[in-house]
Amino acid sequence: MTSVVVIGGGMTGVSVAHALARRGVSDVKVLEEGYLGGGSTFKCAGGIRASFSSEEHVVLMMRSIDLWARLSEELGFYYERGGYVWLLSSEEQVTRFRELSRFHNSLGLPTRLVDAEELKELVPPIDGQRALAALFDPMAGKASPFEALHALYLDAKRMGVVFAQGVRASKIVSKGGTVLGVETNRGFIRAESVVVAAGFGTRELLETVGFNAPLENVPHHALITEPYEEAFKPLVVDVATGAYIVQAKHGNFLMGVEVEEQAGSRPIVRADFAPKVLRVWSRWFSWLPNAVVLRYWVGHYVMTPDHHPILGPVPGVEGLYVAAGFSGHGFMMAPVVGEELASWILSGSPKSEHAARLTPSRFAEGRMIHEKVVIG
Amino acid sequence: MGRLKAYVCICEGVTVEDVERALEEGFTDLELLKRRLRVGMGPCQGRYCIPILVSIVSRKLGVRPEDLVLPKVRPPLVPLKASLLMEEGSDD
């Protein structure tokens, strides 16, 4: 029987702990330096899609979407498959996304190009004339980061997972190439397996065992309005600017857009974000200037050079695993990541060959994959 | 009907009962309670309800109110119409 410590109480860490508990591991501890979800999980928009540009992302996310449906039903939390709509405003974008859709279809993901008329059906309040076409991903959807994380936490706790909040891991301790445990602000915690799912704290932690993970913390911004009656179901992306907008469960509009940020800079509010994101979306939704903005926050995307996460065993330290660097799509990947990490820990290999291609050693081995479709 | 409800958060309809249940489930941090119950997420952004929440939580947990960490306040301080936040003229 193995003992596992998961460092990180966000969607990734809690999903890994939950998956382990479901597979009968009775000694699982989750260490969270602040409050569960307080890292990147509660800052994210809750979008869930498989419409990426790499086979690894598409296949893994199709499995994750399957798990989202099952978990949300079993545990009773909000998850809606309203789709994603990618707005295309130039011929170049249309050509690119037409090819992308063919690629999706070849893997069994039924995305398709839609015209202005169908766009109006999918997103009724949009000024669709500005789009040449749009890509619709009917399998995509959205969930509430709060509800999903809390539901997994309660179920994991029920199965005996111990959650230690306010516990900050400072160092991973190993001897002779095998992990021994974790040094924390509340003392040393012994473990046979350690999973580092610490979001923007991952790089620093892995450095304590001499592993340099190519992770960069880049601030990303999001804004939310007051709640309104349901206006549209899909999460909508403006491909030209990378902006996204989604209507959350309670009716608030949550939106984001890329603003230039330096990797590693402190996530602080800036005066240009709100005007930019509101202006971008006001061009598509003429009523938006009348909406009331409630709050604006800054979170992190933890980026890797190829925008794919690093998953699995950390080279050189037996019993040490990592699940981080999700480049803006950690929340949606969490269910499949939980499954894959549990498989790695319990059987020595991941469940899928696609996860096997995402190990941290891929950079040293020259096996980078490339993801071109990152939003927000 | 016929049962008096004690509201902690009027914007989001959160009662004292809801808070007590959440505390029992292990949501003992104010930030966690905010995400679990939506206390402080309405138009008042916590101005009316967070002090009440602090009062209940400090008594229930036996912690001094001043030792409870208040949830982060996010801009804008008051709800603002989007048009006020959008600059005139220049485009990107």
Side-chain angles (χ1 to χ4, degrees), chain A residues 35-36 42-43 146 150 153-154 157 165 226 250 252 269 275-276 278-279 282-283 288-297, chain B residues 12 24-27 29 31-32 35-36 38 41-43 45 74-76 78-83 85-87 90-92:
Chain A
Y35 60 93
L36 294 180
F42 286 169
K43 303 261 174 87
F146 313 140
H150 291 158
Y153 152 70
L154 288 169
K157 195 160 86 111
Q165 295 180 72
E226 279 191 348
H250 291 263
N252 318 62
V269 298
K276 182 174 181 183
L278 291 167
R279 259 184 285 131
S282 293
R283 288 184 225 137
L288 192 59
N290 292 318
V292 178
V293 173
L294 270 188
R295 58 186 174 270
Y296 152 40
W297 63 86
Chain B
E12 296 286 330
E24 273 160 43
E25 286 170 338
F27 298 95
D29 184 288
E31 294 272 26
L32 269 180
R35 270 57 171 214
R36 177 69 171 159
R38 299 185 65 79
M41 288 192 176
Q45 293 292 283
R74 305 211 185 274
V78 289
L80 283 182
K81 217 165 120 173
S83 53
L85 287 166
M86 287 160 63
E87 284 154 5
S90 61
D91 49 20
D92 349 53

Side-chain angles (χ1 to χ4, degrees), chain A residues 71-131:
Chain A
L71 286 166
S72 60
E73 174 141 0
E74 272 179 52
L75 303 180
F77 60 84
Y78 172 70
Y79 165 63
E80 207 184 299
R81 237 176 237 183
Y84 262 47
V85 167
W86 303 79
L87 301 168
L88 310 167
S89 319
S90 76
E91 284 299 345
E92 182 271 327
Q93 286 166 23
V94 174
T95 307
R96 193 161 31 106
F97 274 71
R98 186 178 289 122
E99 268 207 45
L100 185 64
S101 185
R102 269 198 281 262
F103 169 67
H104 291 156
N105 298 160
S106 76
L107 292 169
L109 180 67
T111 63
R112 64 177 195 275
L113 281 185
V114 299
D115 59 16
E117 209 183 299
E118 206 182 337
L119 173 60
K120 202 70 173 139
E121 278 169 42
L122 291 166
V123 191
I126 202 169
D127 176 9
Q129 300 314 313
R130 298 190 63 240

Side-chain angles (χ1 to χ4, degrees), chain A residues 310-332:
Chain A
I310 47 174
L311 300 178
V314 175
V317 186
E318 181 83 33
L320 182 62
Y321 302 85
V322 64
F326 294 96
S327 308
H329 36 273
F331 177 71
M332 62 177 84

Side-chain angles (χ1 to χ4, degrees), chain A residues 62-344:
Chain A
M62 283 177 69
R63 171 66 182 160
S64 208
I65 283 172
D66 214 16
L67 293 170
W68 270 104
R70 286 201 229 165
L71 286 166
S72 60
E73 174 141 0
E74 272 179 52
L75 303 180
F77 60 84
Y78 172 70
Y79 165 63
E80 207 184 299
R81 237 176 237 183
Y84 262 47
V85 167
W86 303 79
L87 301 168
L88 310 167
S89 319
S90 76
E91 284 299 345
E92 182 271 327
Q93 286 166 23
V94 174
T95 307
R96 193 161 31 106
F97 274 71
R98 186 178 289 122
E99 268 207 45
L100 185 64
S101 185
R102 269 198 281 262
F103 169 67
H104 291 156
N105 298 160
S106 76
L107 292 169
L109 180 67
T111 63
R112 64 177 195 275
L113 281 185
V114 299
D115 59 16
E117 209 183 299
E118 206 182 337
L119 173 60
K120 202 70 173 139
E121 278 169 42
L122 291 166
V123 191
I126 202 169
D127 176 9
Q129 300 314 313
R130 298 190 63 240
L132 284 181
L135 182 75
F136 177 49
D137 176 357
M139 266 185 79
K142 55 192 179 182
S144 155
F146 313 140
E147 278 194 36
L149 185 71
H150 291 158
L152 284 172
Y153 152 70
L154 288 169
D155 198 43
K157 195 160 86 111
R158 191 186 52 81
M159 291 189 280
V161 175
V162 170
F163 287 88
Q165 295 180 72
V167 178
R168 188 168 191 279
S170 51
K171 184 168 152 36
I172 297 161
V173 181
S174 67
K175 187 167 173 194
T178 305
V179 81
L180 290 179
V182 184
E183 202 67 71
T184 75
N185 59 344
R186 303 275 181 87
F188 175 72
I189 301 176
R190 184 178 306 281
E192 282 159 4
S193 304
V194 173
V195 181
V196 185
F200 51 80
T202 303
R203 186 183 178 136
E204 207 180 304
L205 266 172
L206 290 178
E207 275 168 8
T208 66
V209 289
F211 184 73
N212 291 314
L215 299 171
E216 282 190 336
N217 301 328
V218 184
H220 273 255
H221 306 249
L223 168 164
I224 202 163
T225 68
E226 279 191 348
Y228 296 91
E229 224 179 70
E230 190 187 50
F232 54 90
K233 291 189 189 291
L235 184 148
V236 184
V237 181
D238 173 36
V239 173
T241 57
Y244 65 86
I245 184 170
V246 63
Q247 193 165 18
K249 179 189 172 187
H250 291 263
N252 318 62
F253 292 108
L254 202 167
M255 61 193 89
V257 71
E258 262 200 53
V259 285
E260 220 182 281
E261 283 280 7
Q262 293 262 38
S265 47
R266 273 184 61 220
I268 49 175
V269 298
R270 34 193 291 179
D272 59 345
F273 169 73
K276 182 174 181 183
V277 74
L278 291 167
R279 259 184 285 131
V280 167
W281 285 116
S282 293
R283 288 184 225 137
W284 294 98
F285 299 105
S286 56
W287 42 267
L288 192 59
N290 292 318
V292 178
V293 173
L294 270 188
R295 58 186 174 270
Y296 152 40
W297 63 86
V298 194
H300 277 114
Y301 279 22
V302 184
M303 308 293 289
T304 59
D306 61 4
H307 301 163
H308 286 71
I310 47 174
L311 300 178
V314 175
V317 186
E318 181 83 33
L320 182 62
Y321 302 85
V322 64
F326 294 96
S327 308
H329 36 273
F331 177 71
M332 62 177 84
M333 289 194 76
V336 70
V337 168
E339 182 175 79
E340 295 289 356
L341 265 291
S343 175
W344 247 307

